[in-house]
Amino acid sequence: MKNLRFAVLGTGFWSTYQIAGWRELDSVELVAVYNRTRTRAGQVAEQFGVPHVYDDADELLRNHAGELDFVDIITDVDTHALFTEKAAAAGLNVICQKPMGPNLETAQRMVDTCRQAGVQFFVHENFRWQSSIRKLKAVIDSGVIGEVFKAQISFCSGFAVFDNQPFLAELEQFILTDIGSHILDVCRFLFGEVNTLYCQTTRVNLRIKGEDVAIVAMTMQNGIICQAEMSYASILEKEAFPQTLALVEGSLGSVRLTHDFVLNITTRSGTDTQTASPVMYPWLDRAYAVVHASIVDCNRNILSALQGQGAAETTGGDNLETVRLVYAAYESARTNSVITVSSFG
Ligand code: 89Y
């Protein structure tokens, strides 16, 4: 397998898990890191033994583009397009964290820029790679619950999310971009593309700028009715963070993904219980276990595409459809109307 070399742009909170995730895989090597604050880049470089440190991304690309295969962009969303354009201009493949861009137009431009530059573009969208979500998909695809007609996908929490990621409190558009990007992508992964959607949002925590509660009701192109609900204002008897819970109903039964990665598969013969726990890598933060573990699977899928071993799931082109859902949901909430997704944007 070809050994691939890459640089990380942005060394904030998430980068240490992203880099640790890469180190679980063979034939990939981190050569250089950039951060606008050099001391922070230096700390991360020292932690992971990365030889080159920069606080100027142009200089990094000038010095290393020739030896690199891709960049992994882990900066704030507002600079995703800037760094994507710089990397594409240097002829490098791009991986970018979710959400891809700060609006649909910018995300579309990022996809176009990479296509025109002839470089591959991926979004690091990891929720669909969670062990429990993969298991849920496998149960649905097995046919045991028959033909799916209705689903509820839920991410409701009271976790102190702003402690580790204070910038989230500053976002004018919060939960649909942060968690909605993931949850709506999970809906696409499980049930296919969306025909129409209707969304309502509210803000409960007045110390943050954006909405922290959203409900998105969707009719999928295949007729499945799906409701996605998300909240960071939910004080519940059992805190679920960062687990996604689900109930999927079909003509022959149902599957409930509940706390602690338990799946209850019910038919008229009874309920079969299975568990799909994440791999507990030694470096992961246990408060984020299922999310951090899925970084490895998402990276593995993208790496194999970069090595010419098949297509990745979360290409920029694919993820553009998730971004479209996020902004269609905002538009629906703003106008209090049903949006036909294919004609949005
Ligand atoms: O930023 C979010 C993500 O991608 O996963 C969970 C999170 O860290 C907080 O909502």
Side-chain angles (χ1 to χ4, degrees):
M1 204 65 70
K2 184 176 180 247
N3 201 45
L4 298 188
R5 303 175 134 220
F6 73 107
V8 160
L9 307 182
T11 54
F13 168 68
W14 207 258
S15 71
T16 54
Y17 305 105
Q18 183 75 11
I19 295 171
W22 282 117
R23 283 156 59 102
E24 293 294 332
L25 303 174
D26 293 333
S27 55
V28 64
E29 182 189 345
L30 177 53
V31 171
V33 290
Y34 151 83
N35 199 66
R36 63 186 166 191
T37 317
R38 195 187 173 88
T39 45
R40 174 66 191 165
Q43 283 162 5
V44 171
E46 198 180 321
Q47 183 181 348
F48 293 102
V50 184
H52 302 287
V53 178
Y54 291 89
D55 59 8
D56 179 339
D58 293 319
E59 195 186 341
L60 183 157
L61 292 173
R62 262 197 315 277
N63 291 349
H64 298 281
E67 61 171 322
L68 294 177
D69 296 286
F70 68 94
V71 296
D72 192 358
I73 299 171
I74 320 176
T75 57
D76 291 349
V77 63
D78 285 337
T79 54
H80 284 179
L82 175 73
F83 291 123
T84 297
E85 280 155 17
K86 285 181 189 296
L92 298 176
N93 300 311
V94 174
I95 304 174
C96 179
Q97 287 291 310
K98 57 57 71 171
M100 191 195 314
N103 51 56
L104 182 57
E105 298 71 37
T106 305
Q108 178 74 65
R109 204 181 72 227
M110 291 164 73
V111 171
D112 293 345
T113 298
C114 290
R115 191 174 294 137
Q116 281 153 17
V119 300
Q120 296 187 74
F121 179 39
F122 307 94
V123 175
H124 183 92
E125 173 45 69
N126 52 38
F127 266 41
R128 63 162 70 199
W129 286 102
Q130 292 176 12
S131 48
S132 45
I133 301 294
R134 296 316 271 198
K135 181 74 187 168
L136 178 61
K137 170 92 167 134
V139 170
I140 294 168
D141 288 351
S142 75
V144 66
I145 65 163
E147 197 165 334
V148 174
F149 60 86
K150 176 165 93 66
Q152 171 144 9
I153 310 294
S154 173
F155 186 104
C156 295
S157 169
F159 183 74
V161 69
F162 308 108
D163 290 356
N164 286 327
Q165 295 168 281
F167 71 95
L168 293 176
E170 301 302 319
L171 296 177
E172 300 283 348
Q173 295 180 316
F174 166 47
I175 204 160
L176 281 167
T177 58
D178 179 57
I179 284 301
S181 297
H182 290 309
I183 294 301
L184 296 172
D185 189 71
V186 165
C187 293
R188 290 183 56 236
F189 172 63
L190 295 175
F191 310 120
E193 301 302 337
V194 178
N195 185 18
T196 58
L197 66 75
Y198 176 68
C199 174
Q200 294 280 275
T201 65
T202 190
R203 179 173 57 136
V204 176
N205 180 350
L206 298 182
R207 290 190 300 278
I208 69 168
K209 291 201 175 137
E211 83 291 350
D212 52 2
V213 178
I215 294 181
V216 187
M218 291 166 275
T219 303
M220 315 307 278
Q221 287 179 2
N222 56 17
I224 294 172
I225 300 168
C226 176
Q227 174 166 292
E229 58 162 6
M230 53 213 89
S231 161
Y232 267 123
S234 298
I235 301 156
L236 303 169
E237 71 274 28
K238 190 160 163 133
E239 174 57 57
F241 183 88
Q243 296 168 61
T244 302
L245 309 183
L247 173 63
V248 182
E249 294 178 57
S251 53
L252 300 176
S254 64
V255 50
R256 183 186 293 281
L257 170 58
T258 186
H259 299 85
D260 305 323
F261 320 107
V262 169
L263 290 103
N264 289 319
I265 304 149
T266 301
T267 64
R268 292 199 190 275
S269 322
T271 297
D272 172 32
T273 296
Q274 299 184 15
T275 305
S277 303
V279 178
M280 294 301 279
Y281 295 105
W283 45 264
L284 55 70
D285 179 337
R286 295 182 81 86
Y288 293 77
V290 71
V291 179
H292 286 168
S294 70
I295 289 173
V296 179
D297 299 286
C298 185
N299 284 355
R300 184 184 292 112
N301 178 250
I302 293 172
L303 182 62
S304 67
L306 284 167
Q307 288 169 324
Q309 308 290 308
E313 289 189 17
T314 59
T315 59
D318 179 88
N319 195 258
L320 196 57
E321 298 315 310
T322 297
V323 177
R324 196 182 308 282
L325 293 185
V326 169
Y327 291 101
Y330 278 119
E331 183 63 5
S332 170
R334 190 182 72 78
T335 57
N336 192 27
S337 63
V338 175
I339 304 283
T340 300
V341 174
S342 61
S343 51
F344 180 77

